[in-house]
Amino acid sequence: MCHQVAGLAAAEIEPRGIATTSITILPEITAKIGVPRALEVPWPLGYPLGLPGDADLQRRVIRAALALTDRVGVPLVEPFVDEPAAP
Amino acid sequence: MSAMVRVRDLKLSLRAFIATYRWRRVNPVPCAPRREPLGACRVAVVSTAGLAPPGDTPFDDSVRGGDWSWRRIPDTVDVQSLEEHHRSDAFDHAGIAADRNLGMPLDRLRELANAGEIGSVAAIHVSMMGSITAPGRLVRDTLPAVADALVADGVDVVLLVPV
C-alpha cells in the first residue's frame, strides 16, 4: 500500500514540473501502478534505505535514486548496484 | 538481510491481498525533466512511513480505508525525534525504530547538501501513512495540497520513500 501512495504522489507532483524518483522494495507493485523513476533495493519491507545507522550506505542509496532524475524515458525501474567497498 | 523482495516471498495474507486488490494505475506516467544539475537542485522527501513531529497529531489507524492526512516535516526537525504511528504489520518496524532516517532521511540530505552533491534541502518534507486501501480522499484532497506545498517551497526534485 505504501508503494501505491508513493506512486499516486508522483502522479500529482510530476505534472507540476518537479522530477520525482522513488525507492521501491516491491518492484512488481511499482511497475503495476506506474511510477516515473524507481530504484529497486534489496532489503525487506521497512528498510527502504538499507541498514539503520549505516549513513554511508543510506547516502549511496539516495545518490543512486537521485541519479535516476537524469532520465526522461519513463517509467523505469533500475536495481540498486552498490559501489564496491574501499580496499 | 540482502535479497530482492518478490511478492511470492511475502507472507500468505499479504500475497492474497496483493493478488486481489484493485491497484490504482497511473496512465500515462507523467515525466518532468529535471531543470538543473543535481548540485543546484532543492530536494524534498515524501515518505509513507507514518512519521510525525513530536506533539503533532498522530496518524489514526482506526480510519476506515486508511488515514489519508499528511504531516509537514520541517527541515529543522531532529530526525530521531519523529514519532512513528504506522501500525501496519506488513513490515518490520525495528529498523525505523532504531534509525528514523530509514523512513525520513533528512540527516542524509543535509550531508549531501553540505558536500555540494545537491543544491539544498527543502524547508518542508512530507509524511503520510501508507496503509490506505481506499485512496479516493488521498488523491482528491491530500496529494494536490502536498504537491502545491512542494511547489511553493521551490522544490526541484522529490525523493519518494515507501516503506
Side-chain angles (χ1 to χ4, degrees):
Chain A
M1 301 293 20
C2 277
H3 287 65
Q4 176 168 267
V5 172
L8 295 173
E12 190 69 35
I13 294 166
E14 198 104 8
R16 285 170 171 74
I18 297 174
T20 68
T21 184
S22 186
I23 305 293
T24 179
I25 297 168
L26 293 171
E28 292 156 285
I29 305 295
T30 293
K32 195 174 284 196
I33 291 159
V35 175
R37 308 168 192 84
L39 182 75
E40 175 184 353
V41 295
W43 301 293
L45 289 168
Y47 294 82
L49 293 178
L51 305 177
D54 191 340
D56 287 341
L57 175 63
Q58 295 170 14
R59 270 196 308 275
R60 293 198 297 276
V61 174
I62 294 170
R63 201 177 278 132
L66 292 177
L68 295 180
T69 59
D70 289 340
R71 310 262 297 270
V72 291
V74 304
L76 64 90
V77 181
E78 296 270 326
F80 172 61
V81 179
D82 202 3
E83 299 163 12
Chain B
M1 58 185 266
S2 180
M4 294 289 175
V5 176
R6 293 291 177 251
V7 169
R8 65 170 182 269
D9 301 325
L10 299 174
K11 63 183 179 183
L12 181 62
S13 58
L14 197 53
R15 282 204 320 269
F17 173 83
I18 287 172
T20 55
Y21 181 71
R22 289 184 57 189
W23 297 94
R24 294 278 184 121
R25 287 167 196 267
V26 177
N27 187 19
V29 175
C31 179
R34 203 184 61 219
R35 295 176 284 221
E36 308 276 354
L38 270 174
C41 281
R42 189 166 178 79
V43 180
V45 173
V46 172
S47 167
T48 66
L51 295 164
D56 204 339
T57 311
F59 285 97
D60 185 352
D61 199 41
S62 69
V63 177
R64 279 175 65 91
D67 184 344
W68 68 94
S69 64
W70 67 290
R71 300 291 176 277
R72 187 181 287 257
I73 310 288
D75 65 329
T76 51
V77 79
D78 171 1
V79 175
Q80 304 303 352
S81 77
L82 294 171
E83 295 169 353
E84 201 228 295
H85 303 292
H86 208 316
R87 287 180 214 132
S88 166
D89 62 1
F91 70 92
D92 172 12
H93 295 247
I96 288 175
D99 183 358
R100 304 286 193 280
N101 283 291
L102 290 190
M104 182 57 69
L106 301 188
D107 290 333
R108 302 294 86 82
L109 284 193
R110 290 168 187 147
E111 292 155 4
L112 292 173
N114 286 339
E117 295 190 47
I118 61 173
S120 62
V121 181
I124 68 144
H125 305 270
V126 174
S127 174
M128 295 175 279
M129 187 167 74
S131 298
I132 299 172
T133 51
R137 288 165 296 197
L138 176 85
V139 169
R140 192 183 64 227
D141 300 331
T142 301
L143 294 177
V146 162
D148 288 346
L150 295 168
V151 169
D153 190 50
V155 170
D156 300 299
V157 170
V158 165
L159 174 66
L160 297 156
V161 183
V163 297

